[in-house]
Structures are given as structure tokens and as C-alpha cells.
Amino acid sequence: MRVISAPQEFTVPDLYVDLRRFVGRDLFVKCEGFNFAGSIKLKAALEIVERAERDGTLRPGQTIVESSSGNIGVALAMVAASRGYRFICVTDDHCTLSARQLMQNYGAEVRVLTEPHPVDGLVGARQRLVESLCAEHEDYVWLDQHTNPGNWTAHYRTTGPEILRMFPGLDVLFVGTGTAGTLMGCARYLREARRSIRVVAVDSVGSVSFGGPPGPRQIPGLGSAIRPALLDESLVDDVVHVEETETVEMCRTLVRHGFLFGGSTGTVVAGALSWLAREDRDLTAVAISPDLGDHYLDTVYRDHWAADALGRVPGQTTDRLSEVPR
């Protein structure tokens, strides 16, 4: 029996889904969605709040302000509620309705932007509003997940070691790229612990994180309209870009096998299978699943949304896992 007194104390660090019987390859999915914040972002949120408390940046009575497309906003809302801070999340209209409602239920104020910055997109517009709010209110604190080193050190301390402990013979790790915190933390840890392990970043088509051309993206969580400040490409062995139609197809394929995962997971698994299909030898691979699919029922898993956002409803007749070369 386990008894906790704060929601962040509940984590499930060693749960993996074995996809071998579906794809014929040694691919395992690390499930990070089983906590009260519902995503891997709880690790980063807790790290950056605790660092700010230790160095005096964040003090009792102050208000945390953050720009988020959803998951870290939910995580910070939960941590703020647990530790007695007010929280304001600046998000945009790509944030799912359920994520917004979760933040509000935790007591957060949610501000939704609809107009992107002409150069830096919605992320840039959100960040400029956060800067404006903090300039107006001296008791507002922006922890800035995009530049905060706690974003990657959280995964250097936890996620990377958790994976290597479970899979000491790991050959390749697939990590989705948003702020690049998870990617950088895991990559830095694995470079020190086992240099032979390859780290493959998975990104969305339309994201500029790795120098690709900008384009429209509808699914929150991965990709960026500006280059992530935390990203060090020298720590990345390869990059795979995934179309959002492939993301939706993969999510819907996984749920037909009983696994309800979020959009970021669909992207990472699709990218992992694409990359592994090019390899002519057996490899032990892990893909990190940032969250579950309950936040995406009104988007990724809804036909009307897919038709409006993507121009068609993907995956109605195909099973992407059955198409993967054995």
C-alpha cells in the first residue's frame, strides 16, 4: 500500500507497452501519462517550481505565469494548487478543451490567444503576453519552460535513468520535440551513461525546430514555430518528421488495439516505426509517450475535427501497425 499527501508524489516510472506482437520489432512505449497531471510535463513543472523556490525567485503569495499549449499548463496548475500559488496560463486555440477545463478546475486562470505573432507564431504571441503581464505585476513570476534548465534536468535525473535501468541493452531512444526538455535531458544522461545508444528526435512536419520550413500544425505538444532555446543538435543522432495525418492514423490504430494515447505519442510511435523500417537489423527501441488520449477525445479521435483540421479523416480503413515491414 502507498499513501501520499501531495498529488505530485504519485508517479508510475516503470510502465511500458510492448508493441512487439503488433509490429514484429522490439519497440516499447514508456507511458508517462499516469499521474494526476496526466503527462510527462509534471516532472518539468515540479523541477522548475522547486528550483525557483530554492533560489528565491518564487516566494509565497506570488503568482506563476506560463505560456503553454496544454500539458505543462495542466502540470503547473496542479503543482500551484498543491503548493498554494496562483497560476495564470497563457495558451492558444490549439489547446484542447479538456486541458483548459483541467487547469480551471485546479484553480488556474486561462487566457486563450487566437492571433499568432507574424514571425514567431502562436508561441511568440503567448510569450509576449506573458512578458507584458509580468511587467505590469511585480508579484507575477514567469518560470519560462522554454529556457529554464529545470526543464531538461528533470529528465536527466529521472526519465533517462528510468529507461536505462529497465532496458540496459537499449539501442535507440525516440523522443518527441516540443520545448526539447525531455529530449535534452535524456540525451545528456545517455551520452554520459552509454554513448552507443542512439537518440532520435521526432518532430512534426511544419515545425522549425530542426530547420525545416514552417507550416500549419493543429495538434499541440510537439513542434514549434521558433527554434527551442534548450535544443543542442549535437546530442541528437537523427531526426524524423511526421505528418499530422500520420499522427492521427497511429493514434487511431493504437486505440483499436486498446491503447488510448495522446497526439504526441501517435507522432513519436509513427516516427519510430518509420525510422526502424529503414534498419536491416534487430534493435531494442523505446519511444516516450508523453500523455494519454483522454485530452484528445474532442480532436484527434473526433472525425469532424480531423476533417476540418486535416482535410480528411485518417485511418478509417487501415491499420498502420499491420503495414509496418517485419
Side-chain angles (χ1 to χ4, degrees):
M1 179 181 293
R2 186 177 180 189
V3 178
I4 64 172
S5 57
Q8 59 265 26
E9 294 174 7
F10 174 72
T11 60
V12 184
D14 296 321
L15 179 63
Y16 295 78
V17 172
D18 183 350
L19 292 183
R20 286 179 296 179
R21 70 187 181 96
F22 306 134
V23 302
R25 291 182 179 273
D26 291 342
L27 177 61
F28 302 86
V29 177
K30 187 180 195 304
C31 301
E32 290 281 353
F34 290 98
N35 57 61
F36 284 109
S39 82
I40 195 171
K41 289 293 189 176
L42 175 59
K43 292 177 173 178
L46 190 59
E47 180 84 8
I48 63 179
V49 166
E50 290 182 341
R51 286 169 65 99
E53 290 174 334
R54 288 195 300 270
D55 65 23
T57 302
L58 182 62
R59 300 181 299 276
Q62 292 184 307
T63 297
I64 300 170
V65 187
E66 187 57 74
S67 160
S68 171
S69 63
N71 278 340
I72 202 163
V74 173
L76 281 170
M78 190 205 80
V79 173
S82 173
R83 299 170 95 93
Y85 299 106
R86 285 187 63 229
F87 175 57
I88 299 173
C89 181
V90 177
T91 188
D92 58 65
D93 54 0
H94 288 171
C95 178
T96 65
L97 176 62
S98 60
R100 279 180 263 166
Q101 290 175 330
L102 267 174
M103 287 187 272
Q104 290 167 338
N105 285 331
Y106 279 129
E109 177 184 341
V110 181
R111 301 198 182 187
V112 182
L113 298 181
T114 58
E115 292 298 323
H117 184 271
V119 176
D120 296 331
L122 287 167
V123 172
R126 297 195 322 244
Q127 291 178 339
R128 282 164 175 78
L129 178 54
V130 171
E131 290 171 346
S132 174
L133 289 171
C134 290
E136 295 171 7
H137 302 274
E138 62 179 18
D139 60 335
Y140 283 14
V141 178
W142 182 19
L143 300 178
D144 193 3
Q145 61 162 329
H146 295 278
T147 62
N148 195 308
N151 195 347
W152 69 263
T153 56
H155 303 286
Y156 179 90
R157 293 192 309 101
T158 61
T159 313
E162 289 163 5
I163 292 169
L164 195 56
R165 181 173 64 246
M166 183 67 76
F167 294 92
L170 182 68
D171 294 305
V172 57
L173 175 66
F174 296 95
V175 189
T177 308
T179 62
T182 306
L183 175 65
M184 290 295 95
C186 291
R188 284 193 171 96
Y189 174 79
L190 293 176
R191 285 295 179 274
E192 296 175 9
R194 187 79 52 78
R195 181 61 183 84
S196 61
I197 298 174
R198 283 180 281 182
V199 176
V200 177
V202 182
D203 200 10
S204 299
V205 170
S207 167
V208 306
S209 297
F210 293 93
R217 291 174 293 107
Q218 305 298 325
I219 301 173
L222 296 189
S224 180
I226 58 177
R227 179 181 170 82
L230 298 175
L231 179 62
D232 180 352
E233 289 190 58
S234 70
L235 298 173
V236 179
D237 295 295
D238 205 352
V239 181
V240 179
H241 285 88
V242 176
E243 295 275 3
E244 289 192 323
T245 51
E246 296 179 68
T247 293
V248 176
E249 287 174 356
M250 183 55 66
C251 286
R252 292 176 177 218
T253 293
L254 289 166
V255 81
R256 287 198 293 273
H257 290 277
F259 297 106
L260 183 70
F261 283 118
S264 299
T265 304
T267 303
V268 175
V269 173
L273 293 178
S274 172
W275 191 92
L276 290 169
R278 303 196 296 264
E279 292 291 309
D280 58 2
R281 63 190 182 94
D282 293 333
L283 298 171
T284 298
V286 169
I288 297 178
S289 164
D291 59 7
L292 301 179
D294 51 337
H295 293 181
Y296 301 83
L297 295 178
D298 57 339
T299 55
V300 169
Y301 293 98
R302 186 167 173 260
D303 286 353
H304 288 304
W305 177 90
D308 290 342
L310 306 177
R312 66 185 181 91
V313 180
Q316 289 181 314
T317 59
T318 61
D319 186 324
R320 290 295 307 283
L321 299 184
S322 67
E323 297 174 353
V324 176
R326 299 296 199 266

